[in-house]
Amino acid sequence: MVKITHHLNKINKYKSALFIFSLMCIISATSCNSHKDNNKNTNEAFNNFYSINMDNSAIYNYDGRAYVIDYESMESRTLCNIPNCTHSSADCIVNICRINSQLPIVYNSSAYFFINSNSFAEKDGKMALDLKTNIKKYDFNNNKISHITTIDGFNMEISSGGYLIDSDYYFINTYGNPKYDDAGNVTSSSGSGGGNLFSINFETGKVTDYGEVFDYEKLKETYPDSANSTLIQITGKIDNNLFMNIHYIKADTADFSAPFSGETYTFNLDTKKFEKYDDYFSTCSMNGYHTYYTDKDNTKLEIKNIKTGEITEIPELPGYNSLSVIDDKLWCDSKCFDIKTGNEIEIPSELTPITAIGEYKDYYIVKVQSNDQNMFEKILKSKFNS
C-alpha cells in the first residue's frame, strides 16, 4: 500500500528537476494511453470534472489546482514543467486552469483549455447575449500559449466534463439560458440550461456541432421551475455510445442540494445521432455498466449491465458525486460493492476511502482522505475479499 501526499513542492532542486523530467514523460505518454472500454484498447481519456484517468497516470483537481500523479511511483506534483514556478503568472497552465475552474485536456505534449466570455450586445435593435468559447493550447515543449479557435454563441459548460477519443474531444456547450423582457430584450442569463454536443479535433483544430442533446424548451414547458437547475453532463462511454445525463430540480428552489430528476441520452459515435435511453437520473456509465437512481430521493441505485441487460440493486447510498465503476465493482462514498453479487466489500485502508479512480497493474488507485486532505493509495487487488 502506497500513499501520496501533497508536499512535493518542497523537494530540493535536484529532485525538482528530476520530477519535471518525469512529468514530461507522463505528459508525452498521455496521447497514446489505453482506456478500458469493454476490454477494447482505444486511445481514450474521460474527464469527469474531478479527474482525468489515463493509462499510467491521472490529472486531478486539488485545492483549486491541476495536479498529475504517476501510478508507478505514486508521486504527485502540480501540472507545470517550469522550474521554480510560483503558478501565479498568466502563462502558467496551473494558474490558467485555476482561474477557469477546469482541468486541462492533455494530448500530444500539449494541454488544451477553454476560456468563456459573455456579455450583452445589440442585435437587430434588441439586447442579445454575446457568448464565446475560446479554445487555447499550452505547449509543454516551449511553454507557449496559442489560440486554436473561437466558438460563437456558446459557453463551454465546465462542470459537464468531456471525453477524448483518439484526437477528438467531446464536450458540452450551453447557449446561456437567457431571460427576456416583453420587448424581447435579454435581461439576464445564467449557466447550465440547454446545450449542444461539440467536438474538436486536436490534430486539425476542426470543431463540429452535433446539435441539441435534448429539447430544452419542451422541458421548460413541462417543468417551468427547472430552468435554473438544468445541467447536461457526459457520464461516460460504453461501446460506441457516449452517455449523458440531463438532471434538474422540478420545483422552484434555491436549494441546489435537493434531489434531482433526470433523463439519460446517448450519442452514437457512428451515426452521430442522439437517442433517449431512460427517464432516470444517471450518474456514471463506464466499463460496461450504466448506473442510475430509481427514486425521487436519489438513494436507490441500480446498475445495468449493458451487454446482458442484468440489473443489480445496491443498498441506499447518501450521495453520488464520487461514484465510479471499475473492475465489476461500484465505488461510491467510502463504499465498494461487488456488482455481480451485490455484496459490500471492505476497502482495506487505514484512512477514509472516497472512491477508486482507476486500475494499474495489480492495484486499484483509491482516493482517500486524511485530516481533510485528499490523498491517493495504491492497494493490491488481492487484498479485497468479495
Side-chain angles (χ1 to χ4, degrees):
M1 181 168 60
V2 182
K3 301 184 183 69
I4 180 65
T5 59
H6 299 276
H7 302 298
L8 293 180
N9 288 326
K10 299 179 181 178
I11 59 182
N12 61 40
K13 292 182 179 180
Y14 170 76
K15 287 187 176 181
S16 178
L18 182 62
F19 193 86
I20 288 173
F21 172 77
S22 300
L23 173 62
M24 288 303 298
C25 292
I26 294 171
I27 291 168
S28 297
T30 56
S31 61
C32 55
N33 64 82
S34 297
H35 180 85
K36 185 192 291 184
D37 179 29
N38 289 8
N39 299 316
K40 297 177 182 178
N41 288 329
T42 52
N43 300 333
E44 299 183 9
F46 177 34
N47 175 6
N48 68 3
F49 179 65
Y50 301 103
S51 63
I52 304 173
N53 184 50
M54 295 168 287
D55 200 28
N56 304 314
S57 59
I59 299 171
Y60 64 97
N61 185 308
Y62 177 76
D63 197 26
R65 290 182 172 182
Y67 280 75
V68 60
I69 181 170
D70 172 34
Y71 290 162
E72 181 65 34
S73 66
M74 291 302 287
E75 289 189 334
S76 177
R77 190 181 174 91
T78 51
L79 186 67
C80 176
N81 64 322
I82 303 175
N84 304 316
C85 183
T86 62
H87 314 306
S88 59
S89 65
D91 57 353
C92 171
I93 184 62
V94 172
N95 189 48
I96 293 168
C97 294
R98 179 186 63 80
I99 293 172
N100 293 282
S101 302
Q102 63 180 286
L103 291 174
I105 312 303
V106 176
Y107 176 82
N108 198 20
S109 300
S110 296
Y112 294 81
F113 57 96
F114 300 74
I115 296 179
N116 290 330
S117 67
N118 57 81
S119 60
F120 296 94
E122 187 175 331
K123 183 179 181 180
D124 299 327
K126 297 179 180 179
M127 292 304 297
L129 276 180
D130 183 18
L131 305 180
K132 296 182 186 297
T133 300
N134 295 293
I135 304 177
K136 296 183 179 292
K137 169 184 172 181
Y138 176 90
D139 191 328
F140 286 100
N141 294 310
N142 57 25
N143 304 327
K144 300 294 185 182
I145 297 172
S146 58
H147 178 81
I148 303 301
T149 190
T150 296
I151 302 174
D152 291 314
F154 292 89
N155 273 175
M156 192 250 194
E157 185 57 66
I158 301 298
S159 59
S160 289
Y163 212 103
L164 177 66
I165 304 172
D166 294 323
S167 57
D168 291 313
Y169 183 67
Y170 293 84
F171 57 97
I172 301 295
N173 261 358
T174 178
Y175 34 78
N177 192 23
K179 305 294 189 299
Y180 298 89
D181 62 18
D182 293 338
N185 296 292
V186 174
T187 57
S188 64
S189 68
S190 63
S192 68
N196 293 21
L197 178 70
F198 279 73
S199 71
I200 178 171
N201 186 287
F202 288 148
E203 292 287 348
T204 65
K206 179 183 177 182
V207 171
T208 303
D209 179 1
Y210 300 101
E212 281 193 311
V213 178
F214 74 109
D215 191 336
Y216 179 52
E217 294 302 318
K218 183 177 180 180
L219 177 67
K220 289 194 297 182
E221 290 177 5
T222 306
Y223 304 110
D225 294 329
S226 68
N228 293 328
S229 62
T230 303
L231 183 67
I232 309 170
Q233 287 184 313
I234 296 174
T235 56
K237 174 179 173 286
I238 299 177
D239 295 327
N240 216 31
N241 287 293
L242 284 179
F243 278 70
M244 291 162 284
N245 85 47
I246 316 299
H247 62 269
Y248 47 87
I249 301 172
K250 293 181 180 179
D252 185 14
T253 176
D255 180 14
F256 287 98
S257 64
F260 285 104
S261 298
E263 304 163 5
T264 305
Y265 284 77
T266 58
F267 177 75
N268 188 286
L269 294 162
D270 288 329
T271 64
K272 312 301 183 188
K273 301 293 186 182
F274 296 99
E275 184 175 337
K276 189 174 184 179
Y277 188 81
D278 61 36
D279 288 302
Y280 295 119
F281 168 39
S282 57
T283 53
C284 80
S285 304
M286 58 190 297
N287 296 324
Y289 293 98
H290 174 59
T291 67
Y292 52 91
Y293 288 96
T294 59
D295 66 319
K296 64 179 182 178
D297 295 321
N298 305 153
T299 58
K300 295 180 180 179
L301 186 73
E302 289 187 353
I303 306 171
K304 181 179 180 180
N305 184 313
I306 295 296
K307 184 176 181 179
T308 66
E310 183 178 0
I311 294 175
T312 303
E313 295 183 2
I314 295 296
E316 289 192 2
L317 293 172
Y320 42 78
N321 286 331
S322 60
L323 196 149
S324 64
V325 178
I326 296 172
D327 194 26
D328 296 320
K329 296 177 177 62
L330 173 78
W331 309 74
C332 181
D333 290 315
S334 305
K335 298 179 182 295
C336 178
F337 297 92
D338 187 316
I339 296 175
K340 294 182 177 179
T341 65
N343 297 328
E344 184 174 351
I345 306 171
E346 182 180 356
I347 301 176
S349 174
E350 297 177 359
L351 301 175
T352 302
I354 300 174
T355 190
I357 66 168
E359 299 176 79
Y360 180 69
K361 296 181 178 178
D362 296 324
Y363 297 88
Y364 295 121
I365 308 299
V366 179
K367 187 177 181 179
V368 296
Q369 192 172 56
S370 177
N371 298 323
D372 296 324
Q373 185 179 47
N374 290 330
M375 304 160 58
F376 293 93
E377 283 186 308
K378 188 164 68 173
I379 306 177
L380 276 169
K381 295 181 178 180
S382 60
K383 292 189 175 183
F384 285 73
N385 297 317
S386 57

